[in-house]
Amino acid sequence: MPKLPIEITGHPNSWLLESLWNRPHNKTANAMLNAVVCGKPNKGKSWLSLSFGWALDRGFDGASRFSIDRVCFSAAEFSHCLAEPHPIGTCIVFDDAGLNLFSRESQTRIVVKITKQLQQVRYKNLIILLNLPKYEWLDKLARGIADVYIEPTSINKSTRVTKFKFQEIVFVPRGKQEPWFYYPVAYENRPVHGFANYNLSTSFKIRHFCMPAPPRELSDAYEEKKKRLLDQWNKQTAKEIAFEEAPAKQSRRSRFEEVLEIVKESPEKYRGFVGRDKRFLVEKVLAVGCGIDIAKAVVSEMKRYYVDVREGVM
């Protein structure tokens, strides 16, 4: 087995990082790490994910390959990033995944496709970090392939250190049992990152870790990208809400204009509007694909239009 990079073995959380780094690098051909990072706002989810990405995304030479290009804010961006070729152990962060993999959203097909994509790219040996406020918000299919659960509990911005919990997720393949969450276990008479002799009776659970913040240039680039993309998302959401709250009359007017344009663009199909039975003309316009009210309004407009053309008004 190749030797671990000194940046991993010399890290303050080397005992934890060694285990995570080894999964895609030194285990089976299809080994992949899917981590879920959950926590309340302002608890340090994003900083913690960037820190893990910066620490884990390294080859055997030890140089970090992690960049802001591997932080995704939308389902399309995340899917595209998964499809790109990456070296073994590449770390990809899906920030605010709850907005895109929310279990109660109507985008069911998108969620299923992304979850299947996560299953199919295991051969790439990637490290995936999904950020969201609550674990239950993640779609059931996506929860089924999660390997570890990470929960930041506090962040000290003066010392730039995030305190967090770490648990392994174990699923029972059959039945409807809920997954099991296990804290890491350490033993007395040995350092946390070592493997000296130990006595099982002296074991204890590690309930908290502390992680240094990512480099400032990475966190600054993250904040800039997040602000830019979320501003776009908020503007688009505002447009959608305004459209949903618009009176029904505006929607009918918009469809009226569409049908009127179709009829005007095909005059050979609608000749004889003047002097013909209005009922016949309404049935003819209904074939375009509209309601009776819009069809009547279109017929009235077209009758006026042809009269104006004949008299030289238009």
Side-chain angles (χ1 to χ4, degrees), residues 2-259:
K3 190 175 181 180
L4 274 73
I6 187 65
E7 289 79 6
I8 298 292
T9 58
H11 195 277
N13 291 318
S14 58
W15 175 76
L16 176 61
L17 295 184
E18 286 175 15
S19 173
L20 300 180
W21 189 88
N22 270 322
R23 295 193 191 196
H25 285 92
N26 295 325
K27 292 200 173 182
T28 62
N30 291 327
M32 182 175 173
L33 177 65
N34 292 308
V36 181
V37 184
C38 301
K40 295 180 179 180
N42 299 320
K43 291 295 183 180
K45 294 190 301 295
S46 299
W47 268 23
L48 188 58
S49 295
L50 295 178
S51 297
F52 270 108
W54 178 260
L56 293 173
D57 194 348
R58 302 173 186 271
F60 290 101
D61 61 354
S64 180
R65 304 169 303 205
F66 189 71
S67 68
I68 194 62
D69 294 334
R70 295 189 182 147
V71 180
C72 307
F73 289 91
S74 69
E77 185 182 11
F78 181 58
S79 177
H80 177 75
C81 193
L82 287 177
E84 290 291 312
H86 298 290
I88 291 176
T90 294
C91 184
I92 300 174
V93 176
F94 192 4
D95 199 49
D96 287 327
L99 294 176
N100 298 275
L101 300 180
F102 187 31
S103 58
R104 293 183 180 87
E105 287 284 351
S106 60
Q107 300 177 341
T108 305
R109 288 197 289 182
I110 294 178
V111 172
V112 171
K113 286 182 179 180
I114 290 180
T115 305
K116 287 183 177 179
Q117 191 176 12
L118 283 172
Q119 293 173 328
Q120 298 301 323
V121 298
R122 299 190 73 85
Y123 70 93
K124 293 188 175 184
N125 301 83
L126 302 175
I127 299 174
I128 308 297
L129 293 162
L130 305 176
N131 293 358
L132 63 158
K134 198 172 181 180
Y135 178 75
E136 287 74 15
W137 282 20
L138 200 63
D139 183 82
K140 185 177 181 180
L141 296 174
R143 293 200 303 265
I145 60 175
D147 299 308
V148 299
Y149 172 84
I150 303 172
E151 180 184 338
T153 56
S154 63
I155 181 172
N156 189 325
K157 292 190 176 181
S158 60
T159 59
R160 293 175 60 83
V161 172
T162 304
K163 189 177 181 181
F164 66 96
K165 297 179 181 180
F166 179 91
Q167 292 177 307
E168 294 273 355
I169 302 177
V170 179
F171 281 88
V172 180
R174 63 179 183 179
K176 298 182 179 180
Q177 298 184 29
E178 293 295 321
W180 298 341
F181 292 76
Y182 290 99
Y183 282 104
V185 177
Y187 304 93
E188 294 181 2
N189 304 321
R190 76 172 177 91
V192 172
H193 62 274
F195 293 92
N197 294 329
Y198 58 84
N199 186 333
L200 290 177
S201 63
T202 61
S203 64
F204 59 93
K205 296 179 180 179
I206 306 176
R207 299 186 180 275
H208 286 96
F209 291 88
C210 289
M211 177 71 83
R216 286 190 180 274
E217 58 269 19
L218 180 60
S219 58
D220 291 345
Y222 164 81
E223 294 296 339
E224 182 181 350
K225 181 178 181 180
K226 182 177 182 179
K227 182 180 183 301
R228 183 175 66 253
L229 294 178
L230 289 185
D231 283 346
Q232 295 176 0
W233 185 86
N234 286 327
K235 289 180 180 178
Q236 181 62 30
T237 302
K239 290 181 180 179
E240 293 174 358
I241 292 175
F243 178 79
E244 292 294 334
E245 290 185 345
K249 184 177 180 180
Q250 293 184 10
S251 298
R252 289 197 298 270
R253 175 62 180 173
S254 175
R255 182 55 182 163
F256 163 76
E257 293 175 345
E258 293 175 0
V259 175

